[in-house]
Amino acid sequence: MPHATEPPQSARLVEAVLFDFHGTLAQVEDPLTWVVAAAAACGAQLDRGKATILADRLVTAGRAGGPLPHRVPPQLAEHWADRDLYEHSHRAAYTGLAASVHTDVDGLADALYDRVLRPDGWVPYPDTEPTLRKLHDAGIKIAVVSNIGFDIRPHFAHWGLDGLVDAFALSYEVGRTKPDPAIFLRACGMIGADPERTLMVGDSPADAGAVKAGCAALVLPAADPGRTNGLGASLALAGCI
């Protein structure tokens, strides 16, 4: 009796998938939670109204993992330009932006930044784990490619996802930032994948820069914390459905 058989590995069109981190696999915690938790770490309790106003001002000033600031003060311009290439510049840029917002909570700027370094300062999307697991179980290599100024491997370990990711190409370690084709090529090299059989999944035009490295690209809209953002589309493109 005829039966379906899995095609040989060599016949698979996609042998590896690269994922962006922020806005693709995880989102920063909501601004109100961010500010209240950081203030509490400084020994201050903020009422909801005050915390909401402060959160709005801080997000406008510029938050790591948030929208780009409307204005970068001249004294922070160099650190801002290098924020995804050096750890010290990443911290200096974002603590400097937070410090530009008046507050009576001592140490708040550093506490706000420290939330970004903690796994509980982020929320993985609901479809992140099942998507990574299905790709992993299908034998498809996975790498995370991120413009970032700190190590996110502990976040994945905390979420129990580290065993599903084969490599991390982080801009501050690689010395290149998306959309530079070099960072995508480095990621492919780290997992032994042919760029022409690799899919890049992200949420911005910078992620689409993978096309110049020979990869296919899927750009999805970033979703709010706790909402699905369409990661399952990558499974169909990788032949896992």
Side-chain angles (χ1 to χ4, degrees), residues 3-217:
H3 61 278
T5 59
E6 185 177 350
Q9 197 77 4
S10 59
R12 180 175 286 140
L13 294 178
V14 173
E15 64 180 17
V17 180
L18 313 179
F19 287 97
D20 170 53
F21 174 57
H22 168 242
T24 302
L25 296 178
Q27 185 59 274
V28 285
E29 61 189 339
D30 72 84
L32 184 60
T33 301
W34 172 55
V35 170
V36 170
C42 297
Q45 301 297 319
L46 301 178
D47 64 67
R48 186 177 182 86
K50 183 175 181 178
T52 299
I53 293 171
L54 184 55
D56 288 342
R57 291 175 178 170
L58 287 164
V59 169
T60 299
R63 173 194 185 187
L68 295 177
H70 295 299
R71 174 182 176 274
V72 176
Q75 68 271 22
L76 296 178
E78 186 173 351
H79 283 309
W80 179 256
D82 290 342
R83 69 192 184 281
D84 292 329
L85 293 174
Y86 305 104
E87 288 181 273
H88 72 278
S89 286
H90 197 273
R91 174 179 278 275
Y94 285 109
T95 56
L97 290 170
S100 70
V101 176
H102 175 72
T103 173
D104 55 4
V105 180
D106 291 337
L108 183 63
D110 282 308
L112 289 166
Y113 184 79
D114 289 341
R115 292 292 302 171
V116 180
L117 305 181
R118 297 166 54 95
D120 56 356
W122 294 79
V123 182
Y125 286 118
D127 42 356
T128 292
E129 190 276 339
T131 298
L132 295 181
R133 187 166 299 282
K134 286 180 181 178
L135 291 169
H136 176 269
D137 291 348
I140 293 177
K141 294 291 186 179
I142 298 170
V144 174
V145 185
S146 179
N147 284 355
I148 203 160
F150 61 92
D151 190 5
I152 55 176
R153 295 176 184 87
H155 295 54
F156 283 77
H158 178 81
W159 298 328
L161 302 177
D162 51 329
L164 304 179
V165 178
D166 299 290
F168 290 83
L170 309 181
S171 61
Y172 83 100
E173 294 179 338
V174 174
R176 300 293 180 90
T177 59
K178 297 178 292 186
D180 189 330
I183 192 170
F184 303 107
L185 292 172
R186 176 67 68 84
C188 289
M190 293 169 75
I191 56 178
D194 180 348
E196 294 188 356
R197 297 176 66 184
T198 298
L199 172 67
M200 173 66 203
V201 182
D203 71 309
S204 73
D207 297 309
V211 172
K212 292 185 178 180
C215 306

